[in-house]
Amino acid sequence: MKRYGNLFEKAFSEENMYQAYLDARRGKRGKRACFEFEKHLGDNLASLHNAIHTGTYAPSPYFQFVVYEPKRRIIHAPTFRDVVVQHAIYRTIYHIFDRSFISSSFACRIGYGTHKAAAHAQKALRHYSGNDYYLKLDVRKFFYSIARNTLRKLIEKKIKDRRLVDIMMMFAEMEGAERGIPIGNLLSQIYALIFLNPIDHFVKRVCKVKHYTRYVDDLVLVGLSRAECLQLRDALSGFLKNILSLDLSKVVVQKIRKGLNFCGYRMWRTKSFVRKHSIYKFRKSVRDEKRESIASLLGHAKRTLSLIYMLKSIKKENAHGKNIQIQKSYRRIYDTLFDGAGLQPVGA
């Protein structure tokens, strides 16, 4: 396995740090933290560059808050200064690690995502009859259970520049916790990919599973007999426990005809729907006229049968005196259903 060196200087060159700042500010120019950093941009970048190169840099404490999407999660939000450093590292290491990831690992990768993961899993379902089985596995408290010493060893298999690895591991620390990495860091996304990459190769190379999809800590293996599902369940559980010190929280062994819950969708071989929680969020967003949320949830449902139901919800609210707008891409469907009554698309 090829290992890469001399990356510290590349990651923390003045040019790369400026580009990292441009990446960090994308979509955040209205945020106060970004504005304050930009007010003295030259001095802030120079100070950051100097601290890193003299070995005095350390991340600032996180701002913590809780979200329910739908599980309870503690989010660790880094300062803008630390986001710039993370982007500088990310720009340098992403493609080095991405080459080692299998094509059916879909989370937090450029050009991938939930929609492609769901489409990949549904395509796999179509290869088999409804009486064949799939195996779905979920890792227990994945981000909070990552062993940081194991993570470092996996990183060092690719990167031999110790100074860079030392700074990378600063963003894996969680105060008062022996295990786990913070949810909210940019680098936590690629750390999650790196940490579960060994099980992807185990599934494909050792277990020889043809149809396999992973999104973060959700693993789906399709086209098996029930006996194969149980055998693979034990094999993967043992691999996670013995190699990565992880445990499974959920195991589903189910016939394909009964459908698969994955990446926010309920899918069968010929149809799919968004989950009930997404429908609940959409109805609430429509009632509250939250335009951005409506647009996001319509995009999530774009290739599902739930889209018609959601457009009907908009029609119903507009009939009660609201004026909810939708994107032009959904106007044709809306017009077909309701003759466009009482609706103007965004940008019209």
Side-chain angles (χ1 to χ4, degrees), residues 157-173:
K157 285 185 176 181
K158 284 286 187 181
I159 299 176
K160 58 185 176 182
D161 192 325
R162 182 164 185 166
R163 289 189 299 171
L164 178 60
V165 176
D166 286 343
I167 292 183
M168 289 176 65
M169 294 308 297
M170 289 181 183
F171 294 105
E173 295 297 325

Side-chain angles (χ1 to χ4, degrees), residues 192-308:
L193 282 165
I194 293 168
F195 201 79
L196 283 184
N197 191 41
I199 200 165
D200 292 340
H201 289 276
F202 179 73
V203 170
K204 298 298 290 184
R205 297 174 185 270
V206 179
C207 300
K208 305 292 185 182
V209 175
K210 184 175 182 180
H211 290 105
Y212 168 70
T213 310
R214 179 168 71 84
Y215 191 87
V216 192
D217 61 334
D218 287 333
L219 295 72
V220 178
L221 297 74
V222 178
L224 308 167
S225 67
R226 179 174 173 79
E228 288 172 330
C229 285
L230 298 178
Q231 183 179 10
L232 285 166
R233 176 200 63 187
D234 294 340
L236 297 184
S237 177
F239 186 94
L240 287 167
K241 184 70 174 178
N242 298 327
I243 305 300
L244 300 176
S245 301
L246 297 173
D247 295 310
L248 294 175
S249 65
K250 294 180 182 177
V251 177
V252 178
V253 176
Q254 190 67 270
K255 286 187 175 181
I256 289 173
R257 63 181 171 83
K258 293 192 175 181
L260 166 67
N261 283 335
F262 185 60
C263 284
Y265 297 95
R266 296 174 294 142
M267 65 182 73
W268 288 260
R269 288 178 298 164
T270 59
K271 60 187 177 182
S272 61
F273 301 86
V274 299
R275 286 180 178 168
K276 293 180 180 179
H277 180 71
S278 296
I279 294 293
Y280 167 78
K281 286 173 61 180
F282 180 78
R283 286 196 299 231
K284 188 174 187 303
S285 296
V286 168
R287 288 195 300 269
D288 298 338
E289 298 185 65
K290 294 182 177 179
R291 183 169 135 184
E292 289 185 2
S293 179
I294 291 170
S296 174
L297 290 164
L298 284 174
H300 181 59
K302 188 173 183 179
R303 294 175 178 84
T304 73
L305 295 178
S306 299
L307 179 63
I308 295 174

Side-chain angles (χ1 to χ4, degrees), residues 45-231:
L45 286 176
S47 173
L48 203 50
H49 181 272
N50 181 66
I52 290 170
H53 282 265
T54 58
T56 60
Y57 171 78
S60 302
Y62 295 99
F63 171 70
Q64 297 184 31
F65 58 96
V66 178
V67 298
Y68 298 86
E69 293 292 337
K71 299 178 182 178
R72 182 181 185 273
R73 300 183 189 274
I74 301 174
I75 304 300
H76 294 72
T79 63
F80 187 82
R81 172 178 177 265
D82 294 329
V83 173
V84 172
V85 177
Q86 290 191 54
H87 272 283
I89 296 170
Y90 188 86
R91 288 171 53 83
T92 306
I93 70 168
Y94 174 80
H95 292 289
I96 291 173
F97 285 100
D98 190 63
R99 298 186 195 107
S100 68
F101 301 148
I102 66 172
S103 61
S104 52
S105 172
F106 285 88
C108 309
R109 297 177 67 187
I110 297 170
Y112 288 72
T114 54
H115 294 171
K116 289 191 175 181
H120 186 269
Q122 188 176 41
K123 184 178 179 180
L125 297 179
R126 295 189 184 117
H127 280 85
Y128 302 96
S129 78
N131 289 319
D132 289 313
Y133 284 79
Y134 69 82
L135 171 67
K136 183 173 180 288
L137 307 172
D138 182 14
V139 178
R140 184 186 302 278
K141 297 182 178 179
F142 172 53
F143 280 92
Y144 301 118
S145 300
I146 288 176
R148 293 191 287 268
N149 59 337
T150 304
L151 174 62
R152 182 174 186 121
K153 290 175 183 177
L154 291 170
I155 291 171
E156 288 176 338
K157 285 185 176 181
K158 284 286 187 181
I159 299 176
K160 58 185 176 182
D161 192 325
R162 182 164 185 166
R163 289 189 299 171
L164 178 60
V165 176
D166 286 343
I167 292 183
M168 289 176 65
M169 294 308 297
M170 289 181 183
F171 294 105
E173 295 297 325
M174 288 180 64
E175 186 177 354
E178 294 182 1
R179 299 166 67 91
I181 61 174
I183 299 175
N185 274 337
L186 169 67
L187 289 178
S188 291
Q189 299 175 11
I190 196 166
Y191 292 166
L193 282 165
I194 293 168
F195 201 79
L196 283 184
N197 191 41
I199 200 165
D200 292 340
H201 289 276
F202 179 73
V203 170
K204 298 298 290 184
R205 297 174 185 270
V206 179
C207 300
K208 305 292 185 182
V209 175
K210 184 175 182 180
H211 290 105
Y212 168 70
T213 310
R214 179 168 71 84
Y215 191 87
V216 192
D217 61 334
D218 287 333
L219 295 72
V220 178
L221 297 74
V222 178
L224 308 167
S225 67
R226 179 174 173 79
E228 288 172 330
C229 285
L230 298 178
Q231 183 179 10

Side-chain angles (χ1 to χ4, degrees), residues 319-330:
H320 285 84
K322 292 188 177 179
N323 182 27
I324 298 167
Q325 299 178 330
I326 61 173
Q327 296 163 286
K328 290 181 179 179
S329 57
Y330 303 110

Side-chain angles (χ1 to χ4, degrees), residues 331-344:
R331 180 61 190 262
R332 186 185 304 172
I333 302 171
Y334 190 94
D335 285 349
T336 301
L337 290 170
F338 313 119
D339 297 324
L343 185 73
Q344 292 296 319

